[in-house]
Amino acid sequence: MSQFQQLPKDFLWGGAVAAHQVEGGWDQGGKGVSIADVLSGGSHGVDRVMTDGVQPGYSYPNHQGVEFYSRYKEDVALLAEMGFKCFRTSIAWTRIFPNGDEQEPNEAGLQFYDDLFDELLKHGIEPVITLSHFEMPYHLVKHYGGWLNRDVVDFFVRFSEVVIARYQHKVKYWMTFNEINNQRDWKYPLFGYCCSGVVFTDHEKPEQAMYQVMHHQFVASAKVVKLGHAINPDLHIGCMIAMVPIYPFSCHPDDVMYAQEAMRHRYVFSDVQMRGAWPTYAQLEWAKKGYQIDMAPEDAQTLRDGCADYIGLSYYMSNAVKADAEGDASGVADFKGSVPNPHVKATDWGWQIDPVGLRYALSALYERYQKPLFIVENGFGAYDKIGDSGIIEDDYRIDYLRAHIEEMKKAVFDDGVELMGYTPWGCIDCVSFTTGQYDKRYGFIYVNKHDDGSGDFSRAKKKSFSWYQQVIASNGEQL
Ligand code: P53
């Protein structure tokens, strides 16, 4: 077969999780309190509460996660059995710098990730590491005001330098900020809080505050890319965006133009991190709205010097917009005019299922930047039930992933996208980010733990486990 019909031999098949959603052990090994540790459990339609420190009377699902901190060897063995080439997780900043502003790192935290990476490498699995995945130290939120404060740039750079230097021979693939663009939805407190420790609606000019935070994170990301390459030129350091493509609801020119404008809510993040400068459309918006964004004189050069090597993206769904519609009917978009797409179905949580949207997203990003892409999240959150056969027959998940992999292959074979790998989200069931639920599941590996508190965290293989094993073994040929 020609190269146009086969994925590269070194294609990184794997799966993804984040430290705070799986580890637990929230107060072990000297770990400090992170923002995930002060988020209560919610459910579909019931928001998670951001409490002022850890308070009695709340349940905090991330305190236990799925006990990956103590069970990781068992989990890594299962990932290896599926044939994983890579495993994406994050480093909990609070294991390394419990408060965030210390001078010296916490050795017990560093040792935990040494042990985890050694275990992965022993099984031939490449770690793919996110530096910041919704888990900054709570101390930096409480005492510094989160990423609105420029001091946090230096704290993050110090943390990143410590871990990149320590793990440079174990970890080749890095990403700076997970789904950095979620905070563009500044009206939703949870998103700003998790991306940057700031509740934008508490500020007089919330959108200006958001742009200020973005600037600080872009500067931090650029500095980390530069210093990471100085530590070891072989490292691949990417950015990461939640790619929810926005379609025009119709071919009415106003809808098409409106969708193009709306897409800038995504692209502004990749534009700065991949091209090294704020785009004109953002600067024009600031001028029109009278926003002042504080920038240091050297920042322009810093951004230019720290363009990311690749784009990691999550893809779960697409959205549609109508120029003259009122309100936000889909609940996932941050602007007026978001409407349900009548041509696609949605999950139980209202996420619109659209495999073609993945190909569309990959092509659009590749045409825009001509840089490698890495699908670092994709998946189907569902209520799983044990069937008559005694296992979870998650054919709906297999169907979802199969359809997305088919479109991913078209992006590579037909559109020429340079794609590094594919790591579906929540390969081990874990705590949902948006709702804090256990019962919203993504995994190939089932975790026996439930929202009512029952369950012993034991692991079991779902039907999708052997399906994905065969997908990896055939390098995506047998779906
Ligand atoms: P849960 C919105 C759109 C796409 C992905 O989400 C999103 C979000 C929410 O910000 O988040 C990512 O668990 C995120 C993961 C998260 C995963 O999607 O709410 O990077 O941490 O768990 C799935 O179903």
Side-chain angles (χ1 to χ4, degrees):
M1 258 189 267
S2 84
Q3 57 169 320
F4 300 112
Q5 291 164 306
Q6 263 186 346
L7 290 169
K9 285 266 169 296
D10 55 357
F11 189 76
L12 290 167
W13 292 100
V17 295
H20 68 106
Q21 289 170 273
V22 294
E23 284 178 9
W26 72 290
D27 57 356
Q28 287 169 41
K31 182 181 169 297
V33 177
S34 81
I35 51 176
D37 295 324
V38 300
L39 282 181
S40 72
S43 61
H44 184 33
V46 179
D47 287 344
R48 305 185 74 174
V49 181
M50 296 167 279
T51 60
D52 185 9
V54 175
Q55 298 288 344
Y58 288 93
S59 83
Y60 295 104
N62 300 81
H63 287 193
Q64 280 189 296
V66 292
E67 295 190 341
F68 183 78
Y69 185 69
S70 52
R71 292 171 183 257
Y72 71 88
K73 287 192 179 166
E74 180 192 347
D75 287 333
V76 171
L78 286 165
L79 303 178
E81 193 182 330
M82 263 188 288
F84 272 36
K85 312 278 186 214
C86 77
F87 176 59
R88 173 179 181 236
T89 186
S90 57
I91 295 179
W93 187 348
T94 47
R95 288 203 188 282
I96 314 302
F97 289 97
N99 283 328
D101 58 358
E102 296 89 344
Q103 292 295 327
E104 295 303 322
N106 168 38
E107 180 55 34
L110 287 168
Q111 190 58 49
F112 168 69
Y113 292 104
D114 263 320
D115 296 344
L116 171 61
F117 300 154
D118 288 343
E119 192 66 21
L120 289 165
L121 294 168
K122 192 174 95 185
H123 287 94
I125 302 174
E126 291 275 358
V128 175
I129 297 303
T130 316
L131 288 161
S132 177
H133 193 133
F134 307 161
E135 58 212 326
M136 72 184 296
Y138 182 65
H139 177 81
L140 296 184
V141 174
K142 186 87 181 150
H143 298 280
Y144 292 83
W147 278 92
L148 208 46
N149 185 330
R150 189 158 173 135
D151 291 348
V152 174
V153 174
D154 297 332
F155 298 139
F156 179 73
V157 171
R158 184 187 302 159
F159 155 69
S160 302
E161 188 167 10
V162 164
V163 295
I164 293 174
R166 172 99 167 199
Y167 306 124
Q168 56 169 308
H169 301 298
K170 298 182 183 180
V171 180
K172 280 201 254 323
Y173 302 96
W174 299 84
M175 271 166 276
T176 50
F177 294 95
N178 182 66
E179 292 193 341
I180 186 168
N181 57 311
N182 284 350
Q183 59 197 325
R184 190 68 188 80
D185 293 13
W186 55 264
K187 293 186 187 109
Y188 294 93
L190 181 69
F191 287 171
Y193 195 65
C194 290
C195 283
S196 53
V198 181
V199 175
F200 294 115
T201 46
D202 290 348
H203 292 265
E204 202 184 319
K205 288 189 176 174
E207 199 172 43
Q208 175 179 285
M210 178 206 68
Y211 276 119
Q212 186 64 62
V213 160
M214 280 166 64
H215 183 68
H216 289 157
Q217 292 186 335
F218 291 152
V219 168
S221 178
K223 286 186 173 191
V224 168
V225 170
K226 192 175 174 187
L227 77 83
H229 287 150
I231 290 170
N232 188 334
D234 296 335
L235 304 182
H236 303 263
I237 308 171
C239 62
M240 197 295 196
I241 60 170
M243 186 59 170
V244 182
I246 299 165
Y247 298 157
F249 183 75
S250 77
C251 53
H252 190 295
D254 288 348
D255 282 354
V256 175
M257 195 58 234
Y258 189 52
Q260 182 155 12
E261 284 178 353
M263 273 311 285
R264 293 178 187 154
H265 290 220
R266 318 276 186 254
Y267 285 140
V268 65
F269 293 86
S270 40
D271 282 352
V272 181
Q273 293 182 98
M274 300 309 290
R275 292 173 169 160
W278 280 97
T280 322
Y281 58 80
Q283 299 181 33
L284 290 170
E285 186 190 345
W286 302 341
K288 262 181 283 183
K289 293 179 173 171
Y291 294 165
Q292 300 293 330
I293 313 300
D294 293 333
M295 299 187 184
E298 66 277 15
D299 289 354
Q301 188 63 43
T302 303
L303 294 180
R304 272 197 296 277
D305 289 347
C307 293
D309 298 325
Y310 67 93
I311 303 178
L313 65 137
S314 67
Y315 178 82
Y316 293 88
M317 61 191 138
S318 60
N319 280 182
V321 287
K322 212 164 183 268
D324 61 0
E326 288 296 324
D328 169 4
S330 76
V332 284
D334 55 335
F335 32 76
K336 195 168 136 282
S338 182
V339 288
N341 179 343
H343 305 289
V344 303
K345 292 201 185 81
T347 70
D348 290 340
W349 283 264
W351 293 21
Q352 300 186 141
I353 304 167
D354 174 19
V356 176
L358 174 59
R359 176 179 173 195
Y360 174 82
L362 292 168
S363 299
L365 285 171
Y366 194 69
E367 286 173 10
R368 199 172 177 104
Y369 306 108
Q370 291 90 41
K371 289 284 181 190
L373 304 176
F374 195 162
I375 303 166
V376 296
E377 288 184 33
N378 171 230
F380 189 79
Y383 294 107
D384 288 337
K385 290 208 172 51
I386 297 178
D388 297 338
S389 57
I391 65 159
I392 303 223
E393 310 259 2
D394 53 347
D395 293 280
Y396 37 88
R397 181 168 293 111
I398 295 171
D399 291 345
Y400 176 101
L401 295 172
R402 179 192 295 120
H404 283 77
I405 294 171
E406 275 166 359
E407 294 300 324
M408 167 186 103
K409 286 166 65 176
K410 288 183 200 162
V412 176
F413 302 154
D414 300 338
D415 308 330
V417 168
E418 225 178 311
L419 191 64
M420 296 162 67
Y422 177 72
T423 61
W425 175 254
C427 47
I428 307 163
D429 286 349
C430 60
V431 177
S432 156
F433 160 59
T434 46
T435 67
Q437 288 175 287
Y438 282 105
D439 289 335
K440 186 182 189 188
R441 297 169 183 280
Y442 288 84
F444 306 113
I445 299 168
Y446 180 75
V447 175
N448 178 19
K449 183 70 189 172
H450 307 275
D451 291 340
D452 63 8
S454 65
D456 60 3
F457 291 105
S458 57
R459 280 38 173 170
K461 298 173 196 171
K462 300 183 196 175
K463 185 174 176 184
S464 55
F465 185 101
S466 49
W467 173 79
Y468 194 47
Q469 189 178 42
Q470 144 214 305
V471 171
I472 298 177
S474 65
N475 200 19
E477 296 292 311
Q478 283 173 43
L479 296 174

